[in-house]
């Protein structure tokens, strides 16, 4: 199983999960044209996508979903709450899933789990293929026991490190936005994410990538040492998902 990012952050998110002939796009927060441009970097086109999984209806996660699903007849997986917020043109392509039930997209098993965030019915995912577990967690206000149990013993992990608390506090965001981002239904700060890493079993971890990093209220230089401390590794082992560049394929391999 391998994974990559077309870009990650408040200006758009899209993540590739690939196994055999199956390629899943998790969220599509860029326009259809921009998504296709970014897919080409990986030698892919939209017609290579087996499915689009939508975590929640915020604009930075659904920007290209309508056009891509219509144009290329791509199935769109979403919870009923998220599906209800998508444009009506997407409805013929929707496969609703329950946040508490594993489903299958061709070669990949998908276990969703609910998360606290200011959307209708947001979910995040663990992907598995029999050998490996790959977790993704972004757009989450606080860590719940369910999140901890979902993400323990993952072989790969993409984990939000949205903001540094002091930078958000002292930064240029208006007060309401500071409250939203830093609140219980906003985004994970660096310390919350590092605490999660320190708490769960990371003994199988081959890859960790920090995701949805704020360009205004955070920096990779702050994230890397915190994550490295929590994982007892060197800071340069911590991967960073960038807004424009995303990150290149990372593969889960047998020892
Ligand atoms: Zn987001
Ligand atoms: Zn969101």
């Amino acid at each position: 199983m391998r994974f990559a990012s077309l870009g990650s952050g408040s200006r758009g998110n899209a993540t590739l999960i690939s196994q055999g002939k199956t390629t899943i796009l998790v969220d599509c927060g860029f326009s259809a044209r921009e998504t296709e441009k970014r897919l080409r970097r990986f030698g892919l086109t939209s017609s290579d996508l087996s499915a689009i999984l939508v975590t929640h209806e915020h604009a930075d996660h659904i920007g290209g979903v309508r056009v891509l699903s219509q144009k290329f007849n791509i199935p769109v997986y979403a919870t009923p709450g998220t599906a209800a917020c998508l444009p009506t043109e997407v409805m013929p392509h929707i496969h609703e899933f329950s946040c508490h039930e594993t489903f299958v997209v061709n070669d990949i098993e998908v276990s969703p789990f609910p998360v606290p965030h200011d959307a209708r019915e947001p979910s995040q995912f663990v992907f598995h293929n029999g050998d490996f577990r790959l977790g993704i967690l972004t757009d989450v206000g606080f860590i719940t026991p369910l999140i901890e149990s979902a993400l323990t013993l993952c072989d790969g992990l993409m984990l939000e490190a949205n903001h540094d608390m002091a930078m958000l506090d002292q930064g240029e965001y208006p007060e309401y936005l500071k409250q939203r981002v830093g609140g219980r239904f906003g985004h994970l700060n660096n310390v919350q994410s590092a605490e999660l890493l320190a708490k769960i079993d990371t003994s199988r971890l081959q890859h960790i990538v920090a995701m949805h990093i704020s360009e205004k209220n955070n920096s990779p230089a702050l994230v890397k040492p915190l994550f490295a401390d929590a994982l007892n590794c060197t800071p340069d082992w911590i991967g960073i998902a960038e807004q424009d560049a995303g990150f290149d394929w990372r593969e889960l391999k047998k020892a």
Side-chain angles (χ1 to χ4, degrees), residues 9-10 13 56 58 60-61 117 138-139 187 212:
S10 58
N13 296 274
H56 65 298
H58 287 162
D60 56 320
H61 298 262
H117 188 58
T138 72
D139 297 77
H187 292 269
H212 218 303

Side-chain angles (χ1 to χ4, degrees), residues 21 27 41 49 62 108 116 170 215 231-232 252:
K21 290 197 169 83
D27 291 326
R41 293 181 196 158
L49 299 176
I62 66 164
I108 302 177
Q170 290 149 28
E215 294 171 295
L231 292 171
N232 204 9
L252 300 173

Side-chain angles (χ1 to χ4, degrees), residues 75-168:
V76 175
Y77 289 74
T79 61
T82 300
C85 301
L86 294 174
T88 50
E89 295 94 327
V90 182
M91 288 310 137
H93 307 283
I94 285 282
H95 295 242
E96 289 187 357
F97 64 81
S98 156
C99 264
H100 299 280
E101 283 169 25
T102 295
F103 59 93
V104 175
V105 179
N106 304 346
D107 295 334
I108 302 177
E109 272 188 72
V110 185
S111 294
F113 53 95
V115 293
H117 188 58
D118 53 1
R120 284 290 180 87
E121 195 183 1
S123 69
Q124 296 290 320
F125 305 105
V126 172
F127 303 92
H128 30 139
N129 68 349
D131 292 322
F132 301 116
R133 288 164 52 78
L134 171 63
I136 183 166
L137 181 72
T138 72
D139 297 77
V140 180
F142 62 98
I143 300 296
T144 63
L146 191 67
I147 292 173
E148 290 170 4
S149 61
L151 295 182
T152 201
L153 284 170
C154 275
D155 300 275
L157 197 48
M158 292 173 271
L159 174 61
E160 167 162 68
N162 179 258
H163 59 280
D164 171 75
M165 275 187 290
M167 283 181 77
L168 178 67

Side-chain angles (χ1 to χ4, degrees), residues 178-225:
K178 289 182 181 181
Q179 297 285 344
R180 193 224 141 215
V181 169
R184 297 278 281 169
F185 296 94
H187 292 269
L188 292 178
N189 66 54
N190 297 344
V191 172
Q192 286 173 297
S193 301
E195 282 173 359
L196 172 68
L197 288 177
K199 195 165 180 191
I200 60 178
D201 189 334
T202 54
S203 59
R204 289 180 59 94
L205 208 57
Q206 297 181 26
H207 293 281
I208 171 84
V209 184
M211 307 281 286
H212 218 303
I213 298 172
S214 170
E215 294 171 295
K216 293 212 164 74
N217 303 310
N218 209 355
S219 106
L222 293 172
V223 176
K224 285 186 170 196

